[in-house]
Each structure stands twice: as C-alpha cells, then as structure tokens.
Short mmCIF file of all heavy atoms in Angstrom, two decimals:
data_model
loop_
_atom_site.label_atom_id
_atom_site.label_comp_id
_atom_site.label_asym_id
_atom_site.label_seq_id
_atom_site.Cartn_x
_atom_site.Cartn_y
_atom_site.Cartn_z
N MET A 1129 13.14 24.11 36.00
CA MET A 1129 13.83 22.99 35.40
C MET A 1129 12.86 21.85 35.07
O MET A 1129 12.94 21.28 34.00
CB MET A 1129 14.92 22.51 36.39
CG MET A 1129 15.86 21.52 35.81
SD MET A 1129 16.87 22.32 34.56
CE MET A 1129 18.18 21.21 34.43
N GLU A 1130 11.99 21.54 36.01
CA GLU A 1130 11.00 20.47 35.81
C GLU A 1130 10.04 20.82 34.67
O GLU A 1130 9.69 19.96 33.86
CB GLU A 1130 10.23 20.23 37.10
CG GLU A 1130 9.23 19.09 37.04
CD GLU A 1130 9.88 17.71 36.89
OE1 GLU A 1130 11.07 17.56 37.18
OE2 GLU A 1130 9.16 16.78 36.49
N ALA A 1131 9.64 22.10 34.60
CA ALA A 1131 8.73 22.54 33.55
C ALA A 1131 9.38 22.38 32.17
O ALA A 1131 8.73 21.96 31.21
CB ALA A 1131 8.30 23.98 33.77
N GLN A 1132 10.65 22.69 32.08
CA GLN A 1132 11.37 22.56 30.82
C GLN A 1132 11.49 21.08 30.42
O GLN A 1132 11.32 20.73 29.25
CB GLN A 1132 12.76 23.18 30.95
CG GLN A 1132 13.50 23.27 29.65
CD GLN A 1132 14.85 23.95 29.80
OE1 GLN A 1132 15.37 24.06 30.92
NE2 GLN A 1132 15.40 24.40 28.69
N ARG A 1133 11.75 20.22 31.38
CA ARG A 1133 11.84 18.78 31.10
C ARG A 1133 10.49 18.25 30.61
O ARG A 1133 10.43 17.49 29.64
CB ARG A 1133 12.28 18.02 32.36
CG ARG A 1133 12.57 16.54 32.10
CD ARG A 1133 12.91 15.78 33.36
NE ARG A 1133 11.78 15.64 34.26
CZ ARG A 1133 10.75 14.76 34.08
NH1 ARG A 1133 10.72 14.00 33.04
NH2 ARG A 1133 9.78 14.69 34.96
N LEU A 1134 9.41 18.68 31.25
CA LEU A 1134 8.07 18.26 30.83
C LEU A 1134 7.75 18.77 29.43
O LEU A 1134 7.14 18.07 28.62
CB LEU A 1134 7.02 18.74 31.83
CG LEU A 1134 6.98 18.01 33.16
CD1 LEU A 1134 5.99 18.67 34.11
CD2 LEU A 1134 6.63 16.54 32.96
N GLN A 1135 8.16 19.99 29.13
CA GLN A 1135 7.93 20.56 27.81
C GLN A 1135 8.67 19.75 26.74
O GLN A 1135 8.11 19.45 25.68
CB GLN A 1135 8.38 22.02 27.78
CG GLN A 1135 8.02 22.74 26.50
CD GLN A 1135 8.41 24.21 26.54
OE1 GLN A 1135 9.13 24.65 27.44
NE2 GLN A 1135 7.93 24.96 25.57
N HIS A 1136 9.91 19.38 27.02
CA HIS A 1136 10.68 18.55 26.09
C HIS A 1136 10.03 17.17 25.91
O HIS A 1136 9.97 16.64 24.79
CB HIS A 1136 12.13 18.40 26.56
CG HIS A 1136 12.97 19.59 26.30
ND1 HIS A 1136 13.32 20.47 27.27
CD2 HIS A 1136 13.51 20.05 25.14
CE1 HIS A 1136 14.05 21.43 26.75
NE2 HIS A 1136 14.19 21.21 25.46
N GLU A 1137 9.54 16.62 26.99
CA GLU A 1137 8.88 15.31 26.91
C GLU A 1137 7.60 15.39 26.10
O GLU A 1137 7.30 14.51 25.29
CB GLU A 1137 8.59 14.79 28.33
CG GLU A 1137 7.96 13.41 28.37
CD GLU A 1137 8.86 12.31 27.84
OE1 GLU A 1137 10.08 12.49 27.68
OE2 GLU A 1137 8.32 11.22 27.57
N GLN A 1138 6.84 16.46 26.28
CA GLN A 1138 5.62 16.66 25.49
C GLN A 1138 5.95 16.78 24.00
O GLN A 1138 5.26 16.22 23.15
CB GLN A 1138 4.85 17.89 25.97
CG GLN A 1138 4.12 17.69 27.27
CD GLN A 1138 3.42 18.96 27.74
OE1 GLN A 1138 3.80 20.06 27.37
NE2 GLN A 1138 2.40 18.78 28.56
N GLU A 1139 6.99 17.51 23.68
CA GLU A 1139 7.40 17.68 22.28
C GLU A 1139 7.84 16.33 21.70
O GLU A 1139 7.50 15.99 20.57
CB GLU A 1139 8.54 18.70 22.19
CG GLU A 1139 9.07 18.92 20.80
CD GLU A 1139 8.06 19.52 19.84
OE1 GLU A 1139 7.04 20.09 20.28
OE2 GLU A 1139 8.28 19.43 18.63
N ARG A 1140 8.60 15.57 22.46
CA ARG A 1140 9.03 14.25 22.00
C ARG A 1140 7.84 13.35 21.73
O ARG A 1140 7.77 12.66 20.70
CB ARG A 1140 9.96 13.61 23.03
CG ARG A 1140 10.57 12.28 22.57
CD ARG A 1140 11.32 11.59 23.68
NE ARG A 1140 10.43 11.07 24.71
CZ ARG A 1140 9.68 9.96 24.60
NH1 ARG A 1140 9.71 9.25 23.49
NH2 ARG A 1140 8.92 9.55 25.60
N LEU A 1141 6.86 13.39 22.63
CA LEU A 1141 5.66 12.56 22.46
C LEU A 1141 4.84 13.02 21.26
O LEU A 1141 4.27 12.20 20.53
CB LEU A 1141 4.81 12.59 23.73
CG LEU A 1141 5.39 11.85 24.93
CD1 LEU A 1141 4.55 12.09 26.17
CD2 LEU A 1141 5.52 10.37 24.64
N ARG A 1142 4.78 14.34 21.03
CA ARG A 1142 4.05 14.87 19.88
C ARG A 1142 4.69 14.37 18.58
O ARG A 1142 3.99 13.91 17.67
CB ARG A 1142 4.03 16.39 19.90
CG ARG A 1142 3.20 17.01 18.78
CD ARG A 1142 3.36 18.52 18.71
NE ARG A 1142 4.73 18.93 18.40
CZ ARG A 1142 5.28 18.86 17.18
NH1 ARG A 1142 4.60 18.38 16.16
NH2 ARG A 1142 6.52 19.27 16.99
N VAL A 1143 6.00 14.43 18.51
CA VAL A 1143 6.72 13.97 17.31
C VAL A 1143 6.51 12.47 17.13
O VAL A 1143 6.26 11.99 16.02
CB VAL A 1143 8.21 14.34 17.40
CG1 VAL A 1143 9.02 13.64 16.32
CG2 VAL A 1143 8.39 15.84 17.35
N GLU A 1144 6.61 11.72 18.21
CA GLU A 1144 6.40 10.27 18.14
C GLU A 1144 4.98 9.94 17.67
O GLU A 1144 4.78 9.03 16.86
CB GLU A 1144 6.67 9.66 19.51
CG GLU A 1144 6.70 8.15 19.50
CD GLU A 1144 7.10 7.58 20.85
OE1 GLU A 1144 7.99 8.15 21.51
OE2 GLU A 1144 6.51 6.56 21.24
N LYS A 1145 4.00 10.69 18.16
CA LYS A 1145 2.61 10.49 17.75
C LYS A 1145 2.44 10.76 16.27
O LYS A 1145 1.77 10.01 15.56
CB LYS A 1145 1.68 11.39 18.56
CG LYS A 1145 0.23 11.24 18.20
CD LYS A 1145 -0.64 12.20 19.00
CE LYS A 1145 -2.07 12.12 18.51
NZ LYS A 1145 -2.92 13.16 19.07
N GLU A 1146 3.06 11.83 15.76
CA GLU A 1146 2.97 12.15 14.34
C GLU A 1146 3.58 11.04 13.49
O GLU A 1146 3.02 10.65 12.47
CB GLU A 1146 3.67 13.47 14.04
CG GLU A 1146 2.92 14.68 14.54
CD GLU A 1146 3.69 15.98 14.33
OE1 GLU A 1146 4.81 15.96 13.78
OE2 GLU A 1146 3.15 17.04 14.74
N LYS A 1147 4.72 10.52 13.93
CA LYS A 1147 5.36 9.42 13.20
C LYS A 1147 4.48 8.18 13.20
O LYS A 1147 4.34 7.50 12.18
CB LYS A 1147 6.72 9.10 13.81
CG LYS A 1147 7.78 10.12 13.53
CD LYS A 1147 9.09 9.71 14.18
CE LYS A 1147 10.17 10.75 13.95
NZ LYS A 1147 11.43 10.37 14.60
N LEU A 1148 3.86 7.89 14.34
CA LEU A 1148 2.97 6.74 14.44
C LEU A 1148 1.76 6.90 13.52
O LEU A 1148 1.35 5.96 12.84
CB LEU A 1148 2.52 6.55 15.88
CG LEU A 1148 1.59 5.37 16.16
CD1 LEU A 1148 2.24 4.05 15.74
CD2 LEU A 1148 1.21 5.33 17.63
N GLU A 1149 1.20 8.10 13.48
CA GLU A 1149 0.05 8.36 12.60
C GLU A 1149 0.44 8.19 11.14
O GLU A 1149 -0.33 7.62 10.36
CB GLU A 1149 -0.50 9.77 12.86
CG GLU A 1149 -1.23 9.89 14.18
CD GLU A 1149 -1.60 11.33 14.52
OE1 GLU A 1149 -1.12 12.27 13.86
OE2 GLU A 1149 -2.38 11.50 15.49
N GLU A 1150 1.62 8.66 10.76
CA GLU A 1150 2.09 8.48 9.38
C GLU A 1150 2.29 7.01 9.06
O GLU A 1150 1.94 6.55 7.97
CB GLU A 1150 3.39 9.26 9.15
CG GLU A 1150 3.19 10.73 8.93
CD GLU A 1150 2.37 11.03 7.69
OE1 GLU A 1150 2.66 10.46 6.61
OE2 GLU A 1150 1.43 11.83 7.81
N THR A 1151 2.84 6.27 10.00
CA THR A 1151 3.04 4.83 9.80
C THR A 1151 1.70 4.12 9.63
O THR A 1151 1.55 3.26 8.76
CB THR A 1151 3.81 4.23 11.00
OG1 THR A 1151 5.09 4.86 11.08
CG2 THR A 1151 4.00 2.73 10.84
N MET A 1152 0.72 4.51 10.44
CA MET A 1152 -0.60 3.89 10.33
C MET A 1152 -1.25 4.22 8.99
O MET A 1152 -1.86 3.35 8.36
CB MET A 1152 -1.48 4.36 11.50
CG MET A 1152 -1.03 3.79 12.84
SD MET A 1152 -1.87 4.51 14.27
CE MET A 1152 -3.56 4.06 13.96
N LYS A 1153 -1.10 5.46 8.52
CA LYS A 1153 -1.64 5.83 7.21
C LYS A 1153 -0.98 5.01 6.11
O LYS A 1153 -1.65 4.53 5.19
CB LYS A 1153 -1.42 7.32 6.94
CG LYS A 1153 -2.33 8.23 7.70
CD LYS A 1153 -2.01 9.69 7.37
CE LYS A 1153 -2.78 10.64 8.24
NZ LYS A 1153 -2.43 12.05 7.96
N MET A 1154 0.33 4.85 6.20
CA MET A 1154 1.05 4.09 5.18
C MET A 1154 0.64 2.62 5.23
O MET A 1154 0.45 1.99 4.19
CB MET A 1154 2.57 4.21 5.39
CG MET A 1154 3.38 3.49 4.34
SD MET A 1154 3.06 3.99 2.64
CE MET A 1154 3.83 5.58 2.59
N ASN A 1155 0.47 2.06 6.41
CA ASN A 1155 0.02 0.68 6.53
C ASN A 1155 -1.37 0.49 5.93
O ASN A 1155 -1.63 -0.50 5.24
CB ASN A 1155 0.02 0.23 7.99
CG ASN A 1155 1.41 -0.01 8.52
OD1 ASN A 1155 2.37 -0.14 7.76
ND2 ASN A 1155 1.54 -0.05 9.83
N ASP A 1156 -2.27 1.45 6.18
CA ASP A 1156 -3.61 1.39 5.58
C ASP A 1156 -3.53 1.45 4.06
O ASP A 1156 -4.20 0.70 3.35
CB ASP A 1156 -4.49 2.52 6.10
CG ASP A 1156 -4.89 2.35 7.55
OD1 ASP A 1156 -4.73 1.23 8.10
OD2 ASP A 1156 -5.36 3.34 8.15
N TYR A 1157 -2.69 2.36 3.55
CA TYR A 1157 -2.52 2.51 2.11
C TYR A 1157 -1.96 1.22 1.50
O TYR A 1157 -2.46 0.74 0.48
CB TYR A 1157 -1.58 3.68 1.83
CG TYR A 1157 -1.17 3.81 0.39
CD1 TYR A 1157 -2.04 4.35 -0.54
CD2 TYR A 1157 0.09 3.39 -0.03
CE1 TYR A 1157 -1.67 4.46 -1.87
CE2 TYR A 1157 0.46 3.50 -1.35
CZ TYR A 1157 -0.41 4.04 -2.27
OH TYR A 1157 -0.05 4.15 -3.59
N LEU A 1158 -0.95 0.65 2.13
CA LEU A 1158 -0.36 -0.58 1.60
C LEU A 1158 -1.34 -1.75 1.64
O LEU A 1158 -1.38 -2.56 0.71
CB LEU A 1158 0.92 -0.92 2.37
CG LEU A 1158 2.09 0.04 2.15
CD1 LEU A 1158 3.23 -0.31 3.09
CD2 LEU A 1158 2.54 0.02 0.71
N ALA A 1159 -2.14 -1.82 2.69
CA ALA A 1159 -3.15 -2.88 2.77
C ALA A 1159 -4.18 -2.72 1.66
O ALA A 1159 -4.59 -3.71 1.03
CB ALA A 1159 -3.84 -2.85 4.14
N GLU A 1160 -4.57 -1.48 1.39
CA GLU A 1160 -5.53 -1.23 0.31
C GLU A 1160 -4.93 -1.58 -1.05
O GLU A 1160 -5.58 -2.22 -1.88
CB GLU A 1160 -5.94 0.24 0.33
CG GLU A 1160 -6.97 0.59 -0.72
CD GLU A 1160 -7.38 2.05 -0.68
OE1 GLU A 1160 -6.93 2.81 0.20
OE2 GLU A 1160 -8.15 2.45 -1.56
N MET A 1161 -3.67 -1.21 -1.27
CA MET A 1161 -3.02 -1.54 -2.54
C MET A 1161 -2.86 -3.05 -2.71
O MET A 1161 -3.03 -3.58 -3.80
CB MET A 1161 -1.65 -0.86 -2.63
CG MET A 1161 -1.70 0.63 -2.81
SD MET A 1161 -2.55 1.13 -4.32
CE MET A 1161 -4.08 1.75 -3.63
N LYS A 1162 -2.54 -3.73 -1.61
CA LYS A 1162 -2.41 -5.19 -1.67
C LYS A 1162 -3.75 -5.82 -2.06
O LYS A 1162 -3.79 -6.73 -2.89
CB LYS A 1162 -1.95 -5.72 -0.32
CG LYS A 1162 -1.72 -7.21 -0.29
CD LYS A 1162 -1.22 -7.66 1.06
CE LYS A 1162 -1.02 -9.16 1.10
NZ LYS A 1162 -0.53 -9.61 2.40
N MET A 1163 -4.84 -5.32 -1.48
CA MET A 1163 -6.16 -5.84 -1.80
C MET A 1163 -6.50 -5.58 -3.27
O MET A 1163 -7.00 -6.46 -3.97
CB MET A 1163 -7.20 -5.20 -0.89
CG MET A 1163 -8.60 -5.77 -1.08
SD MET A 1163 -9.82 -5.06 0.04
CE MET A 1163 -9.89 -3.38 -0.57
N ILE A 1164 -6.20 -4.39 -3.75
CA ILE A 1164 -6.48 -4.05 -5.15
C ILE A 1164 -5.67 -4.93 -6.08
O ILE A 1164 -6.20 -5.45 -7.08
CB ILE A 1164 -6.19 -2.55 -5.41
CG1 ILE A 1164 -7.26 -1.70 -4.72
CG2 ILE A 1164 -6.13 -2.26 -6.90
CD1 ILE A 1164 -6.95 -0.23 -4.70
N MET A 1165 -4.39 -5.14 -5.76
CA MET A 1165 -3.56 -5.98 -6.61
C MET A 1165 -4.04 -7.42 -6.59
O MET A 1165 -4.02 -8.10 -7.62
CB MET A 1165 -2.10 -5.91 -6.16
CG MET A 1165 -1.46 -4.55 -6.38
SD MET A 1165 -1.48 -4.03 -8.11
CE MET A 1165 -0.33 -5.19 -8.79
N GLN A 1166 -4.50 -7.89 -5.44
CA GLN A 1166 -5.03 -9.25 -5.36
C GLN A 1166 -6.29 -9.37 -6.21
O GLN A 1166 -6.44 -10.34 -6.96
CB GLN A 1166 -5.34 -9.61 -3.91
CG GLN A 1166 -5.85 -11.02 -3.74
CD GLN A 1166 -4.81 -12.08 -4.10
OE1 GLN A 1166 -3.66 -11.94 -3.75
NE2 GLN A 1166 -5.22 -13.10 -4.80
N GLU A 1167 -7.17 -8.39 -6.11
CA GLU A 1167 -8.40 -8.40 -6.91
C GLU A 1167 -8.07 -8.34 -8.39
O GLU A 1167 -8.68 -9.03 -9.20
CB GLU A 1167 -9.31 -7.24 -6.52
CG GLU A 1167 -9.95 -7.41 -5.16
CD GLU A 1167 -10.74 -6.19 -4.73
OE1 GLU A 1167 -10.82 -5.20 -5.50
OE2 GLU A 1167 -11.27 -6.22 -3.60
N TYR A 1168 -7.10 -7.51 -8.76
CA TYR A 1168 -6.70 -7.40 -10.16
C TYR A 1168 -6.13 -8.72 -10.66
O TYR A 1168 -6.46 -9.19 -11.73
CB TYR A 1168 -5.66 -6.29 -10.33
CG TYR A 1168 -5.13 -6.20 -11.73
CD1 TYR A 1168 -5.87 -5.57 -12.73
CD2 TYR A 1168 -3.89 -6.76 -12.07
CE1 TYR A 1168 -5.38 -5.50 -14.03
CE2 TYR A 1168 -3.41 -6.69 -13.36
CZ TYR A 1168 -4.15 -6.05 -14.33
OH TYR A 1168 -3.68 -5.99 -15.61
N GLY A 1169 -5.28 -9.34 -9.84
CA GLY A 1169 -4.71 -10.63 -10.22
C GLY A 1169 -5.77 -11.70 -10.37
O GLY A 1169 -5.75 -12.48 -11.31
N ASP A 1170 -6.73 -11.72 -9.46
CA ASP A 1170 -7.82 -12.69 -9.55
C ASP A 1170 -8.67 -12.44 -10.79
O ASP A 1170 -9.07 -13.37 -11.48
CB ASP A 1170 -8.71 -12.62 -8.30
CG ASP A 1170 -8.01 -13.13 -7.05
OD1 ASP A 1170 -6.94 -13.77 -7.18
OD2 ASP A 1170 -8.52 -12.86 -5.95
N ALA A 1171 -8.95 -11.18 -11.09
CA ALA A 1171 -9.80 -10.84 -12.23
C ALA A 1171 -9.14 -11.19 -13.55
O ALA A 1171 -9.80 -11.61 -14.50
CB ALA A 1171 -10.14 -9.35 -12.20
N SER A 1172 -7.81 -11.05 -13.63
CA SER A 1172 -7.13 -11.31 -14.90
C SER A 1172 -6.86 -12.79 -15.11
O SER A 1172 -6.36 -13.18 -16.15
CB SER A 1172 -5.84 -10.50 -14.99
OG SER A 1172 -4.94 -10.90 -13.99
N CYS A 1173 -7.21 -13.64 -14.16
CA CYS A 1173 -6.96 -15.07 -14.28
C CYS A 1173 -8.27 -15.86 -14.18
O CYS A 1173 -8.28 -17.01 -13.77
CB CYS A 1173 -6.02 -15.54 -13.17
SG CYS A 1173 -4.37 -14.85 -13.31
N ARG A 1174 -9.36 -15.26 -14.54
CA ARG A 1174 -10.65 -15.89 -14.29
C ARG A 1174 -11.08 -16.93 -15.30
O ARG A 1174 -11.95 -17.70 -15.03
CB ARG A 1174 -11.73 -14.82 -14.19
CG ARG A 1174 -11.65 -14.17 -12.84
CD ARG A 1174 -13.01 -13.77 -12.35
NE ARG A 1174 -12.85 -13.25 -11.01
CZ ARG A 1174 -13.00 -11.99 -10.68
NH1 ARG A 1174 -13.36 -11.12 -11.57
NH2 ARG A 1174 -12.79 -11.61 -9.44
N GLY A 1175 -10.58 -16.93 -16.47
CA GLY A 1175 -11.07 -17.96 -17.36
C GLY A 1175 -10.77 -17.63 -18.81
O GLY A 1175 -10.03 -16.70 -19.11
N PRO A 1176 -11.38 -18.39 -19.68
CA PRO A 1176 -11.05 -18.21 -21.10
C PRO A 1176 -11.50 -16.84 -21.60
O PRO A 1176 -12.59 -16.36 -21.28
CB PRO A 1176 -11.84 -19.33 -21.78
CG PRO A 1176 -12.92 -19.69 -20.84
CD PRO A 1176 -12.41 -19.38 -19.46
N PHE A 1177 -10.63 -16.25 -22.36
CA PHE A 1177 -10.93 -14.97 -23.00
C PHE A 1177 -10.86 -15.20 -24.50
O PHE A 1177 -9.98 -15.89 -24.99
CB PHE A 1177 -9.91 -13.90 -22.60
CG PHE A 1177 -10.00 -13.52 -21.16
CD1 PHE A 1177 -9.31 -14.23 -20.19
CD2 PHE A 1177 -10.78 -12.46 -20.77
CE1 PHE A 1177 -9.38 -13.88 -18.86
CE2 PHE A 1177 -10.85 -12.09 -19.44
CZ PHE A 1177 -10.16 -12.81 -18.48
N ASP A 1178 -11.75 -14.61 -25.20
CA ASP A 1178 -11.77 -14.75 -26.64
C ASP A 1178 -11.17 -13.49 -27.25
O ASP A 1178 -11.84 -12.48 -27.40
CB ASP A 1178 -13.21 -14.95 -27.13
CG ASP A 1178 -13.26 -15.29 -28.59
OD1 ASP A 1178 -12.24 -15.72 -29.15
OD2 ASP A 1178 -14.35 -15.11 -29.18
N PHE A 1179 -9.87 -13.54 -27.55
CA PHE A 1179 -9.21 -12.38 -28.12
C PHE A 1179 -9.30 -12.43 -29.64
O PHE A 1179 -9.13 -13.49 -30.24
CB PHE A 1179 -7.74 -12.35 -27.68
CG PHE A 1179 -7.58 -12.14 -26.21
CD1 PHE A 1179 -7.20 -13.17 -25.38
CD2 PHE A 1179 -7.84 -10.90 -25.64
CE1 PHE A 1179 -7.06 -12.97 -24.03
CE2 PHE A 1179 -7.71 -10.70 -24.28
CZ PHE A 1179 -7.32 -11.74 -23.47
N PRO A 1180 -9.55 -11.30 -30.25
CA PRO A 1180 -9.70 -11.27 -31.70
C PRO A 1180 -8.38 -11.47 -32.45
O PRO A 1180 -8.39 -11.74 -33.63
CB PRO A 1180 -10.27 -9.89 -31.98
CG PRO A 1180 -9.85 -9.05 -30.82
CD PRO A 1180 -9.79 -10.00 -29.65
N HIS A 1181 -7.26 -11.36 -31.76
CA HIS A 1181 -5.96 -11.51 -32.41
C HIS A 1181 -5.34 -12.83 -32.00
O HIS A 1181 -5.83 -13.53 -31.12
CB HIS A 1181 -5.04 -10.35 -32.02
CG HIS A 1181 -5.65 -9.01 -32.30
ND1 HIS A 1181 -5.87 -8.54 -33.57
CD2 HIS A 1181 -6.13 -8.05 -31.48
CE1 HIS A 1181 -6.43 -7.35 -33.53
NE2 HIS A 1181 -6.61 -7.03 -32.25
N SER A 1182 -4.23 -13.13 -32.62
CA SER A 1182 -3.58 -14.41 -32.33
C SER A 1182 -2.72 -14.37 -31.08
O SER A 1182 -2.08 -15.35 -30.76
CB SER A 1182 -2.71 -14.82 -33.53
OG SER A 1182 -1.71 -13.85 -33.72
N HIS A 1183 -2.69 -13.26 -30.37
CA HIS A 1183 -1.88 -13.20 -29.16
C HIS A 1183 -2.74 -12.82 -27.96
O HIS A 1183 -3.78 -12.21 -28.09
CB HIS A 1183 -0.72 -12.21 -29.32
CG HIS A 1183 -1.18 -10.79 -29.37
ND1 HIS A 1183 -1.65 -10.22 -30.54
CD2 HIS A 1183 -1.26 -9.83 -28.43
CE1 HIS A 1183 -1.99 -8.96 -30.30
NE2 HIS A 1183 -1.78 -8.71 -29.03
N ASP A 1184 -2.28 -13.22 -26.82
CA ASP A 1184 -2.95 -12.93 -25.55
C ASP A 1184 -2.27 -11.71 -24.93
O ASP A 1184 -1.10 -11.77 -24.59
CB ASP A 1184 -2.83 -14.15 -24.63
CG ASP A 1184 -3.61 -14.01 -23.35
OD1 ASP A 1184 -3.87 -12.86 -22.92
OD2 ASP A 1184 -3.95 -15.04 -22.75
N PRO A 1185 -2.97 -10.57 -24.78
CA PRO A 1185 -2.32 -9.36 -24.27
C PRO A 1185 -1.88 -9.46 -22.81
O PRO A 1185 -1.15 -8.61 -22.33
CB PRO A 1185 -3.40 -8.29 -24.43
CG PRO A 1185 -4.68 -9.03 -24.46
CD PRO A 1185 -4.36 -10.37 -25.06
N ARG A 1186 -2.29 -10.52 -22.11
CA ARG A 1186 -1.87 -10.69 -20.71
C ARG A 1186 -0.47 -11.27 -20.61
O ARG A 1186 0.09 -11.33 -19.53
CB ARG A 1186 -2.86 -11.59 -19.97
CG ARG A 1186 -4.26 -10.98 -19.88
CD ARG A 1186 -5.23 -11.97 -19.33
NE ARG A 1186 -5.41 -13.02 -20.34
CZ ARG A 1186 -6.06 -14.16 -20.12
NH1 ARG A 1186 -6.58 -14.41 -18.94
NH2 ARG A 1186 -6.19 -15.05 -21.06
N VAL A 1187 0.10 -11.68 -21.73
CA VAL A 1187 1.43 -12.26 -21.74
C VAL A 1187 2.39 -11.22 -22.33
O VAL A 1187 2.16 -10.73 -23.43
CB VAL A 1187 1.46 -13.55 -22.58
CG1 VAL A 1187 2.84 -14.16 -22.57
CG2 VAL A 1187 0.44 -14.53 -22.05
N PRO A 1188 3.47 -10.88 -21.61
CA PRO A 1188 4.39 -9.85 -22.10
C PRO A 1188 4.94 -10.13 -23.51
O PRO A 1188 5.13 -9.21 -24.29
CB PRO A 1188 5.52 -9.85 -21.07
CG PRO A 1188 4.91 -10.40 -19.84
CD PRO A 1188 3.86 -11.37 -20.30
N SER A 1189 5.18 -11.37 -23.82
CA SER A 1189 5.73 -11.70 -25.16
C SER A 1189 4.68 -11.58 -26.24
O SER A 1189 4.99 -11.54 -27.41
CB SER A 1189 6.31 -13.11 -25.15
OG SER A 1189 5.25 -14.06 -25.04
N GLY A 1190 3.40 -11.55 -25.84
CA GLY A 1190 2.33 -11.48 -26.83
C GLY A 1190 1.92 -12.84 -27.37
O GLY A 1190 1.07 -12.95 -28.23
N ARG A 1191 2.56 -13.88 -26.89
CA ARG A 1191 2.24 -15.24 -27.35
C ARG A 1191 1.87 -16.11 -26.16
O ARG A 1191 2.19 -15.81 -25.05
CB ARG A 1191 3.46 -15.84 -28.05
CG ARG A 1191 3.78 -15.15 -29.34
CD ARG A 1191 4.98 -15.79 -30.01
NE ARG A 1191 6.06 -14.82 -29.94
CZ ARG A 1191 7.26 -15.08 -29.47
NH1 ARG A 1191 7.59 -16.27 -29.08
NH2 ARG A 1191 8.16 -14.14 -29.42
N GLY A 1192 1.23 -17.17 -26.43
CA GLY A 1192 0.95 -18.16 -25.39
C GLY A 1192 -0.28 -17.84 -24.58
O GLY A 1192 -1.12 -17.06 -24.99
N SER A 1193 -0.35 -18.44 -23.41
CA SER A 1193 -1.53 -18.27 -22.57
C SER A 1193 -1.22 -17.31 -21.42
O SER A 1193 -0.08 -16.92 -21.24
CB SER A 1193 -1.99 -19.62 -22.03
OG SER A 1193 -0.94 -20.19 -21.27
N ALA A 1194 -2.24 -17.00 -20.66
CA ALA A 1194 -2.09 -16.05 -19.56
C ALA A 1194 -1.13 -16.57 -18.51
O ALA A 1194 -0.95 -17.77 -18.34
CB ALA A 1194 -3.45 -15.78 -18.93
N MET A 1195 -0.53 -15.63 -17.79
CA MET A 1195 0.44 -15.99 -16.74
C MET A 1195 -0.27 -16.26 -15.43
O MET A 1195 -0.04 -15.61 -14.43
CB MET A 1195 1.42 -14.84 -16.55
CG MET A 1195 2.19 -14.48 -17.79
SD MET A 1195 3.34 -13.12 -17.51
CE MET A 1195 2.26 -11.82 -16.98
N CYS A 1196 -1.16 -17.21 -15.39
CA CYS A 1196 -1.91 -17.51 -14.16
C CYS A 1196 -1.65 -18.92 -13.72
O CYS A 1196 -1.35 -19.78 -14.44
CB CYS A 1196 -3.40 -17.33 -14.40
SG CYS A 1196 -3.81 -15.64 -14.87
#
C-alpha cells in the first residue's frame, strides 16, 4: 500500500515538474518577445526618416508622422 502511494506521489511530482518546465519555457519566450518588441518599437521611433513618397509607411493611414 505504501509503495503504491509513493508511486502515485512520484507520478504527481513528475507531472507537476513537466508543467513547471513548460511554464518556465513560456516565460522565457515571452520575455524574449517583449524585448524584441521593445527594441523594434525603439528602432522605429528613432528620428527623422527621409521617405521618397508623400506618406510615412509607419502610419497605418499612410499620412502624417510616425506613431511615436
């Protein structure tokens, strides 16, 4: 009986460990994506751009200045 209880506890801990590892991987991935998005946002707001057309491609409407 005790051996069976220990086996169930080991299985529960294994499953919990797998879930924790997946959560940690997802947290790492989200942190990396947040950093990339921050870098992208910073890069697209750095200063004057000389566009050959009359619209700024950083603005969804195609008119006006950048959304920074």
Side-chain angles (χ1 to χ4, degrees):
M1129 190 69 161
E1130 183 67 18
Q1132 188 177 18
R1133 187 184 69 76
L1134 287 174
Q1135 187 177 11
H1136 282 104
E1137 182 65 15
Q1138 285 177 337
E1139 178 65 17
R1140 186 188 70 77
L1141 289 173
R1142 184 188 63 76
V1143 169
E1144 189 175 321
K1145 180 182 175 189
E1146 288 175 1
K1147 287 180 182 179
L1148 181 59
E1149 288 172 349
E1150 281 297 313
T1151 299
M1152 290 171 62
K1153 285 179 187 178
M1154 182 57 73
N1155 286 344
D1156 289 345
Y1157 172 78
L1158 291 173
E1160 182 180 356
M1161 289 300 106
K1162 183 178 179 180
M1163 185 178 67
I1164 289 170
M1165 292 301 291
Q1166 182 65 43
E1167 289 174 2
Y1168 176 79
D1170 291 346
S1172 63
C1173 294
R1174 282 214 176 110
F1177 292 87
D1178 188 19
F1179 295 106
H1181 306 291
S1182 62
H1183 70 278
D1184 186 336
R1186 296 172 291 171
V1187 181
S1189 69
R1191 292 181 249 128
S1193 60
M1195 301 180 301
C1196 299

